[in-house]
Amino acid sequence: MKGAATATAHANIALIKYWGKADDRLHLPRTSSLSVTLDGLETTTTVVFGGAPQDELVLDGVPRSGEQLRRVSVFLDLIRSRSVESRPARVVSQNRVSTAAGLASSASGFAALAAAGARAAGLDLDDRALSRLARRGSGSASRSVFGGLVVWHAGSDDATSFAEPVPCGTDLSVLVITLSGAPKAISSREAMRRTVRTSPLYEAWATRSTEDLREVSAALERGDLESAGPVIEANALGMHATMLAARPAILYWMPETLGALAAVREARAAGFPAWATIDAGPNVKVVTDAAHSADLLGWMRRRLPEATVTANGMGHGVRVREGAEL
Ligand code: 2P0
C-alpha cells in the first residue's frame, strides 16, 4: 500500500542517564547518555497516510484523543513538513512493553513512529537522520533506533544531537524488578524541567555525568562490567539525588524501592555482578551479564517474592517495512 509502513522498535534502559534539556522544543539534552536496547520489550507501529479524515491514534487497541493524540499529530506534522506527504494519517500502535513494569514506552514508541512515519511519507533517512527525527518525539527514542549499547551525543544543535551504537565487549542483561502498587508519578518531562530549574545539585550531577559516561563506555568496550557497574549505579542514584533537592522535591521511590536496592547489594555480596539503576519511577533495574542472568533471576525472585522480576537481553535496532500490518 502506498503511503503505509510498519516499524518495530525496542525499549532501552539508560546506564548513564538523560536528565535535563538544553532546548525544550528540539529535545536537546544537557548531557550525553548511554543505554542498552532490550529484547522482548517492543512497540510495533503502522502509519497510513490518507487512512483517516484527520490524524488518528489507536494505542494498544484503544482510540486515543487529547494530549496523546496531539503529541503524535505534532510529530506527524514534522514528517509532513519534510516530505511531499500532506494527508492526515491513521497510526496504530501495539506495545509489548509491559506498562506495569513502568518501562517508558515513549522510547520504543517514538522510534517506531519515526521509522514507520518517515518510510510511509517516502523520506529516505539514514540511521543518524532517523535518530535525530525520533529525538523530536521523545529524547530517549533517539537511542532506540539502534540495538546493543548506544550513546546519545548531547550535541549543540539539531544536527549534532543524535545517537549511535558503540562497541560492547560483554553481553549485558537487565533484570527489571516491578514493585507492586506503584502510584501514578509526575511525568519525567516535567520532573526534569523542575530539576534543572530548581535543584542546587543539578549542575554537579551533569558535570560528573560526562566523566561517568567516558568511564562506563571505556569499561564496557573492554568487557569490564566490574568497573562499569559502580559508576552506572552511582549515576542513577545521583540523578535521583538531584530530584530530592528540587523545589518542590520529586521522589519516585517507594519503601519497596529501598528493599530492592538492598537486595541488589546482597546479590553483589553473594558474588553476582549486579548493579542497580532506577528511572523516573519506583522500579529497580539490575544490570548484569548474560552469563549470570538466569542464576541472578532465580536469586532475585526468591529474595523478592512480592515483586515481578524479568530478565532481558540486548535487543536490536528499529526494523521497518512497507505496508500496513496493524
Ligand atoms: C533515560 N529517562 O535516560 C532517562 C532516565 C527517565 C530517567 O529518558 O521529554 O521520555 O520525551 O525527551 O525520553 C525519559 O525521558 O523524555 C528518560 P522527553 P523521555 O532513559
Side-chain angles (χ1 to χ4, degrees), residues 14 17-18 21 71 106 138-140 143 188-189 192 279:
K17 302 299 187 187
Y18 152 46
K21 291 184 179 69
R71 235 178 120 178
S106 69
S138 192
S140 53
R143 301 187 307 231
S188 58
R189 193 165 281 191
M192 66 174 86
D279 293 301

Side-chain angles (χ1 to χ4, degrees), residues 207-222:
T207 302
R208 186 57 192 258
S209 207
T210 305
E211 291 166 43
D212 288 350
L213 192 147
R214 258 198 299 271
E215 263 184 64
V216 169
S217 331
L220 289 179
E221 180 168 3
R222 58 177 194 267

Side-chain angles (χ1 to χ4, degrees), residues 138-171:
S138 192
S140 53
S142 65
R143 301 187 307 231
S144 276
V145 167
F146 303 99
L149 189 65
V150 178
V151 65
W152 171 17
H153 304 287
S156 53
D157 57 17
D158 180 57
T160 52
S161 187
F162 55 84
E164 63 182 350
V166 290
C168 189
T170 186
D171 196 4

